[in-house]
């Protein structure tokens, strides 16, 4: 009896904590009469969300999602083959690794305006910015995974005379799956960040644009509402990637998970 | 990859003629792993290689497997120089080296799948037979992480036997197992070898294991790896637990122990 109550409490704990936090937030804002352009109350945020037409929400959300997914897809499609090449060629990794580190060390936010100038209006510059932010973790993690293949396994492949491509496909890539997915999970949330950063620089729609636009008119509750949508989007994509791994590669999950 | 050779009547299965292997590491320093190593293995002979770690045992095995080309001398299989990996050679590694995402039966047929992209019905049937032979029939549908270390190593052995190689190379295959499992596996290997005679080169650093299994024992010295002595075991077959208590077993064990620990200066 007491145990079931405790376990229910245990499972509900995150939700209860979140609700409690919102209550404290609401109460503190009201009691201290914090002006809504500094910190709006949760109720004000919800209210303002409903003042914006649904079609407008969908429009901005779709714009951000579209750019994120395009940049992410590009990062996956270029990052994984590049990682395979880097992991299998000492020469190539010696030649390209320094450039990759330079790209990663460059603050993308600072480069974003330049990219916009070079690539002009439209999705292209935003997709490129998103790509630049998401691509590095995918490459690094995939290379690490590919190189974690037991050497004896590669020796077995060589002793069978199966060829390099087959070794990559049958042995190296599957061994790298857990590493690849941990990068894919992180990168999908980075993709949202990339799209938002790009929208801050130059855009006429998207949730990032909407936040910048709202704050410039001191519609802070509205900006907060957009932030909530962004976080939800990020979490949903993260869970989607995790679900894909569970469905397609169940053996690659850590043993402790059910 | 290569055509299968008909094992020639009088030709030795494996012959090393003054084989030397010098590795150059990335900092430019050179390591002589093998120096003037010569020996022959008759067809279907069981030879154990024993020696301190780092004396070049694995290198020797890799040369036979065609994974390393020796820097000096010549290695031959059935009278032909080893130019690369060959069909008639099967390898069992120290670690089971199974693919964790494949079921046991698919791990056994993996070499075929990997090499030819598909597994024939005959090979599938053969995999079941081999699993039966190594006592894992009921585990064919399991994944490797559901098996004990000894069972995993049996899967590795079944996999190496799939294409019925005439030569079996084993690199300390039981050294990761506990002592009891180890003895059990040794007898099992002898039973398999009696059922399907093969030329076996078995690397170990356990003297009793070498004596229990082998027809002859190649004793190697530490860096640079040289053949110090080749010992005829001459214990009666089939061998069993009783073999372990034979006086000759103890005499030979002491003799080998003295060889392995003999200081280099006196060699
Ligand atoms: N690929 C390699 N490159 C450089 N040195 C190597 C390589 N493989 C083995 N060696 C060196 O050769 C020696 C013999 O190694 P190995 O054959 O693995 O010995 P063992 O199997 O008897 O322990 C060791 O000193 C090892 O460091
Ligand atoms: Mg070794």
């Amino acid at each position: 009896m007491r145990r079931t109550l405790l376990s229910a409490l245990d499972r509900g704990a995150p939700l209860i904590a979140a609700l409690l936090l919102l209550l404290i937030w609401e109460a503190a804002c009201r009691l201290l009469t914090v002006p809504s352009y500094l910190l709006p109350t949760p109720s004000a945020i919800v209210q303002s969300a409903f003042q914006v037409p649904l079609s407008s929400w969908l429009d901005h959300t779709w714009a951000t999602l579209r750019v994120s997914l395009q940049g992410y897809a590009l990062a996956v499609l270029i990052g994984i083959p590049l990682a395979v090449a880097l992991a299998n060629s000492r020469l190539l990794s010696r030649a390209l690794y320094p450039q990759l580190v330079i790209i990663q060390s460059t603050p993308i936010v600072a480069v974003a305006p330049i990219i916009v100038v070079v690539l002009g209006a439209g999705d292209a510059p935003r997709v490129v910015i998103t790509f630049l932010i998401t691509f590095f973790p995918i490459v690094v993690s995939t290379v690490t995974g590919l190189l974690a293949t037991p050497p004896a396994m590669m020796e077995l492949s060589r002793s069978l005379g199966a060829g390099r491509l087959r070794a990559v496909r049958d042995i190296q890539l599957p061994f790298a799956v857990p590493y690849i997915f941990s990068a894919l999970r992180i990168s999908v949330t980075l993709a949202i960040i990339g799209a938002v950063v790009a929208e801050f620089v130059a855009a006429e729609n998207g949730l990032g644009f909407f936040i910048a636009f709202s704050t410039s008119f001191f519609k802070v509750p509205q900006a907060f509402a957009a932030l909530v949508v962004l976080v939800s989007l990020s979490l949903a994509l993260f869970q989607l990637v995790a679900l894909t791994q569970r469905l397609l590669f169940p053996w690659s999950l850590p043993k402790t998970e059910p | 990859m290569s055509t299968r050779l008909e094992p020639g009547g009088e030709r030795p299965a494996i012959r090393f003629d003054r084989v030397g292997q010098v590795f150059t590491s990335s900092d430019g320093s050179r390591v002589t792993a093998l120096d003037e190593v010569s020996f022959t293995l008759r067809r279907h002979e069981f030879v154990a290689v024993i020696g301190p770690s780092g004396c070049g045992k694995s290198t020797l095995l890799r040369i036979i497997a065609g994974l390393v080309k020796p820097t000096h001398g010549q290695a031959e299989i059935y009278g032909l120089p080893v130019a690369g990996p060959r069909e008639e050679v099967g390898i069992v590694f120290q670690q089971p080296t199974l693919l964790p995402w494949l079921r046991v039966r698919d791990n056994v047929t993996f070499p075929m799948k990997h090499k030819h992209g598909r597994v024939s019905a005959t090979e599938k049937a053969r995999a079941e037979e081999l699993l039966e032979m190594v006592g894992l029939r009921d585990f064919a549908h399991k994944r490797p992480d559901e098996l004990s270390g000894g069972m995993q190593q049996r899967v590795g052995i079944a996999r190496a036997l799939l294409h019925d190689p005439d030569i079996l190379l084993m690199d300390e295959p039981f050294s990761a197992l506990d002592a009891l499992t180890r003895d059990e596996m040794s007898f099992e290997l002898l039973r398999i070898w009696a059922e399907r005679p093969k030329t076996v080169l078995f690397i170990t650093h356990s003297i009793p294991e070498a004596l229990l299994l082998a027809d002859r024992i190649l004793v190697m010295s530490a860096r640079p790896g040289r053949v110090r002595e080749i010992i005829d075991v001459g214990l009666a077959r089939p061998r069993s637990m009783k073999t372990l208590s034979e006086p000759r077993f103890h005499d030979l064990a002491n003799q080998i122990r003295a060889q392995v620990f003999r200081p280099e200066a006196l060699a």
Side-chain angles (χ1 to χ4, degrees), chain A residues 1 51 61 64 71 111 116 129 169 180 186 208 221-222 247:
Chain A
M1 183 64 207
Q51 279 158 12
T61 306
T64 301
V111 189
V116 171
I129 291 165
R169 187 195 64 191
I180 294 175
I186 295 167
Q222 211 171 276
L247 290 180

Side-chain angles (χ1 to χ4, degrees), chain A residues 67-69 71-72 130 133-134 186-196:
Chain A
V67 167
S68 302
L69 292 183
Y72 182 62
T130 307
I133 287 187
T134 48
I186 295 167
S187 281
V188 83
T189 60
L190 287 178
I192 297 283
I193 294 175
V196 168

Side-chain angles (χ1 to χ4, degrees), chain B residues 111-261:
Chain B
M112 293 298 159
K113 177 89 181 150
H114 187 49
K115 196 172 170 192
H116 304 296
R118 53 182 294 279
V119 183
S120 71
T122 337
E123 281 149 2
K124 276 184 195 157
R126 194 172 148 66
E128 301 297 326
E129 241 175 72
L130 286 165
L131 283 173
E132 167 108 57
M133 183 171 83
V134 297
L136 289 178
R137 200 189 54 178
D138 298 336
F139 295 85
H141 60 283
K142 299 253 188 222
R143 294 206 197 271
D145 60 2
E146 297 174 272
L147 270 54
S148 69
M151 287 164 142
Q152 290 186 20
Q153 201 53 283
R154 283 169 215 240
V155 179
I157 293 173
R159 179 180 64 193
L161 294 175
L162 182 70
H163 62 295
D164 202 14
D166 205 59
I167 293 170
L168 191 58
L169 306 176
M170 306 181 88
D171 194 351
E172 302 187 24
F174 306 149
S175 64
L177 307 177
D178 61 85
L180 287 176
T181 315
R182 229 175 139 139
D183 285 347
E184 193 190 319
M185 294 289 286
S186 295
F187 288 117
E188 184 136 341
L189 178 63
L190 283 177
R191 184 177 58 73
I192 294 169
W193 179 66
E195 257 177 60
R196 297 164 189 267
K198 296 190 181 311
T199 310
V200 183
L201 189 105
F202 186 100
I203 295 175
T204 178
H205 48 233
S206 155
I207 295 171
E209 194 171 70
L211 281 170
L212 189 61
L213 291 168
D215 296 317
R216 287 190 296 153
I217 299 175
L218 215 128
V219 184
M220 290 182 69
S221 64
R223 264 160 278 198
R226 295 200 178 105
V227 177
R228 183 166 265 175
E229 196 178 5
I230 300 179
I231 291 170
D232 260 304
V233 176
L235 291 161
R237 291 193 189 270
R239 294 183 189 158
S240 63
M241 283 300 188
K242 285 203 201 89
T243 311
L244 300 173
S245 50
E246 277 181 42
R248 184 172 168 78
F249 187 94
H250 289 280
D251 294 346
L252 285 171
N254 289 332
Q255 186 189 332
I256 295 168
R257 208 164 282 126
Q259 284 291 335
V260 170
F261 292 112

